[in-house]
Amino acid sequence: MGKVTGFLEIDRREQKYQPASDRIRHFREFTLPLPDAEVTNQAARCMDCGVPFCHGPNGCPVHNQIPDWNDLVYRDEWEEAARNLHSTNNFPEFTGRVCPAPCEEACTLNLEDMPVTIKTVEQAIADKAWKKGWIKPEPAAVKTGKKVAVVGSGPAGLAAAQQLARAGHDVHVYEREPKAGGLLRYGIPDFKMEKHHIDRRVKQMEAEGVTFHYGENIGVTRPIQELLDGHDAVLLAGGSEAPRDPQLPGQEMEGVHFAMPYLVQSNRREGDEQIHEVPVLSGGKHVVVVGGGDTASDCVGTAFRQGALSVTQLDIRPVPPMKEDKLAVWPYWPTKFRTSSSQAEGAEREFACATLGIEGRNGHVTGVKCARVDQKRQPIQGTEFVLRADLVFLAIGFAHPLFQGLVEQSGAALDKRGNVQADDLAYATSVPKLYAAGDMRRGQSLVVWAIREGRQAAHAIDKDLMGATTLPR
């Protein structure tokens, strides 16, 4: 695929960023796209490797046909590359920006630490497709007369809704918030993905016949039974929103917050939406973020843009190796030292660090009590220390969907982790006509996994309603 000797002749080149000193002054995207000629060169590096692990089960969850569209870009057939890319991924401009790219870790060239810049090429294809007007509504030629409700408009809900609408069903999306996107809009900061990318997809889907109902918190504003009675199928795609609660001593103090409400508030502010809560701003404050994942990193970047004096990130895991043992882990996702763009903006990082509690004065946080941990992640006596903190954000993941309202009313069986129980073939819950997909079914995961689940759930629903389906799985 690509140029046969391209991987020997052309070095890997990634997109560059605006300098940290510039990008922390705004919330806009800060990647500097490669020129088309360089994207073509990068696509040319895709080698004829025999077994393309990049789009196998260890690489791309939506099974993007990566060697194919790399070859098309190399041959300057961008429009065909865009068609190929959209055949497996409804929203490549989303994943081209926020996916951690397991495909690149699974690339054969990663054995030499020089994988193809798959994510960069994907984003370039999607952005060019929009710029050239190749992405247009694809309404169904024939309507089925079936009506489907999708609860939640995150990546799983949007993917399912678009696929079902294109199959000819009358699709209604019920969204709690004033705008569509779920955590794409309210959880991911604008500096990683600006929200006009979501807005134009919504317009495309509306032109394909999808009806969006905003301000509809199913289970609160209307009972789930009303949807079951009024539709031929209902898909739950509400995400995994209940945060893991460390129940730290002093956690109730003013200035201690779970990460997601902070990010949601910031995104509302940037989107000129109304904020009803007390403002939480990091300007002029010493910030501590507990957690080592993407959400924690997003808090770091947001805090810097709001003018934090310092940001320290606590990770209970030990410092990972700078480089993985390729023969032991490739093509799987490796544990190795990584620095996100937000961390590179000046965050202090503490590894092998347990958070013991919150210290404060007059009900307001003043510090975070920590200790080093052993190999079993147990605090080591005598290693305690206190970090100064005016604001603390808890970003240690999500446990399961919110039970109150929708899930409780549905009566659907839950798995042992508290997620709505459904397999990844039928996506059917224990309640007739009720399906579940995305984080609500599998637990917290990546945007690309949510898109895959939405597409597969649409396939299953269409097959159940019509007896057969032409939707890809």
Side-chain angles (χ1 to χ4, degrees):
M1 291 297 164
K3 187 177 182 181
V4 176
T5 56
F7 71 98
L8 297 172
E9 301 170 10
I10 303 167
D11 291 333
R12 173 182 166 94
R13 184 180 170 192
E14 301 178 69
Q15 295 181 102
K16 289 186 169 61
Y17 297 154
Q18 290 178 0
S21 57
D22 293 339
R23 67 183 188 246
I24 63 171
R25 300 174 187 275
H26 61 78
F27 274 84
R28 300 184 303 277
E29 291 179 17
F30 53 80
T31 54
L32 304 174
L34 296 177
D36 284 357
E38 186 56 48
V39 175
T40 299
N41 274 342
Q42 293 304 304
R45 297 185 65 246
C46 187
M47 60 190 293
D48 188 6
C49 58
V51 178
F53 288 95
C54 57
H55 67 81
N58 309 315
C60 182
V62 293
H63 301 303
N64 279 339
Q65 299 169 96
I66 294 162
D68 298 58
W69 43 254
N70 272 325
D71 185 52
L72 289 165
V73 168
Y74 167 63
R75 299 178 188 283
D76 203 31
E77 297 179 30
W78 287 81
E79 188 172 2
E80 183 59 32
R83 275 194 290 270
N84 186 299
L85 178 55
H86 280 88
S87 71
T88 57
N89 186 351
N90 296 67
F91 315 118
E93 68 274 27
F94 299 172
T95 50
R97 285 171 167 80
V98 302
C99 185
C103 53
E104 294 190 19
E105 297 291 352
C107 177
T108 302
L109 289 177
N110 191 39
L111 286 167
E112 297 293 332
D113 290 313
M114 295 291 283
V116 176
T117 51
I118 299 168
K119 182 178 174 180
T120 296
V121 177
E122 178 181 27
Q123 181 183 334
I125 294 170
D127 288 351
K128 182 179 279 290
W130 278 108
K131 184 178 179 180
K132 294 288 189 179
W134 299 332
I135 298 175
K136 298 174 182 176
E138 300 175 27
V142 179
K143 298 294 185 181
T144 64
K146 302 291 186 179
K147 190 175 180 182
V148 181
V150 177
V151 181
S153 66
L158 290 176
Q162 185 165 62
Q163 293 296 95
L164 288 165
R166 289 176 176 178
H169 304 305
D170 180 17
V171 180
H172 293 257
V173 177
Y174 294 84
E175 170 54 50
R176 179 187 62 199
E177 302 295 341
K179 297 179 182 179
L183 289 188
L184 284 170
R185 183 181 296 275
Y186 294 103
I188 295 174
D190 279 19
F191 57 80
K192 289 176 72 173
M193 190 181 80
E194 294 175 15
K195 303 310 179 271
H196 64 84
H197 299 295
I198 304 170
D199 296 335
R200 62 189 180 187
R201 282 296 181 182
V202 170
K203 288 180 181 177
Q204 179 196 30
M205 291 172 65
E206 288 174 336
E208 292 171 345
V210 178
T211 304
F212 288 86
H213 304 267
Y214 299 114
E216 287 280 11
N217 189 357
I218 304 302
V220 178
T221 58
R222 69 172 74 197
I224 181 66
Q225 192 60 47
E226 184 178 322
L227 265 60
L228 288 166
D229 291 342
H231 298 80
D232 297 289
V234 176
L235 174 65
L236 303 182
S240 178
E241 294 187 276
R244 288 200 181 99
D245 188 350
Q247 298 182 334
L248 299 171
Q251 186 177 312
E252 73 287 347
M253 289 189 191
E254 185 180 347
V256 182
H257 306 272
F258 284 108
M260 196 50 65
Y262 172 62
L263 295 175
V264 169
Q265 188 182 108
S266 176
N267 279 312
R268 288 195 200 282
R269 191 177 292 112
E270 292 303 309
D272 295 323
E273 290 188 30
Q274 205 167 10
I275 297 173
H276 302 287
E277 306 84 11
V278 175
V280 179
L281 294 163
S282 299
K285 296 178 180 177
H286 297 279
V287 177
V288 173
V289 181
V290 181
D294 289 338
T295 302
S297 186
D298 291 344
C299 288
V300 170
T302 299
F304 278 130
R305 282 158 182 76
Q306 291 180 350
L309 293 178
S310 69
V311 181
T312 305
Q313 188 176 355
L314 309 182
D315 195 329
I316 198 168
R317 297 170 296 185
V319 179
M322 297 302 293
K323 184 178 178 180
E324 74 274 26
D325 181 348
K326 300 289 186 184
L327 295 181
V329 298
W330 182 87
Y332 297 97
W333 181 263
T335 298
K336 64 180 177 181
F337 191 85
R338 303 172 193 269
T339 301
S340 72
S341 59
S342 293
Q343 291 164 341
E345 290 163 1
E348 293 292 330
R349 301 169 70 182
E350 295 281 353
F351 289 95
C353 180
T355 307
L356 303 181
I358 308 296
E359 296 188 351
R361 187 181 302 114
N362 299 323
H364 195 286
V365 61
T366 59
V368 179
K369 186 177 181 181
C370 310
R372 298 301 172 193
V373 297
D374 58 23
Q375 290 183 335
K376 295 182 178 179
R377 299 186 180 181
Q378 297 302 308
I380 301 172
Q381 191 172 1
T383 64
E384 296 83 4
F385 61 100
V386 177
L387 288 171
R388 179 179 177 181
D390 306 306
L391 266 180
V392 178
F393 297 118
L394 307 175
I396 56 174
F398 302 90
H400 48 67
L402 296 176
F403 295 143
Q404 190 173 7
L406 174 63
V407 174
E408 284 182 346
Q409 279 188 20
S410 73
L414 306 178
D415 65 18
K416 60 184 180 182
R417 295 185 298 158
N419 300 314
V420 178
Q421 191 168 33
D423 64 36
D424 60 0
L425 184 64
Y427 287 90
T429 72
S430 59
V431 178
K433 294 169 52 175
L434 188 65
Y435 300 79
D439 288 4
M440 184 168 266
R441 187 200 74 84
R442 66 177 285 118
Q444 67 169 59
S445 191
L446 305 176
V447 168
V448 68
W449 273 105
I451 293 172
R452 168 182 169 149
E453 295 240 332
R455 287 171 62 88
Q456 291 190 340
H459 171 99
I461 292 169
D462 187 42
K463 188 174 181 180
D464 285 352
L465 293 179
M466 306 304 296
T469 181
T470 57
L471 290 177
R473 192 173 183 279

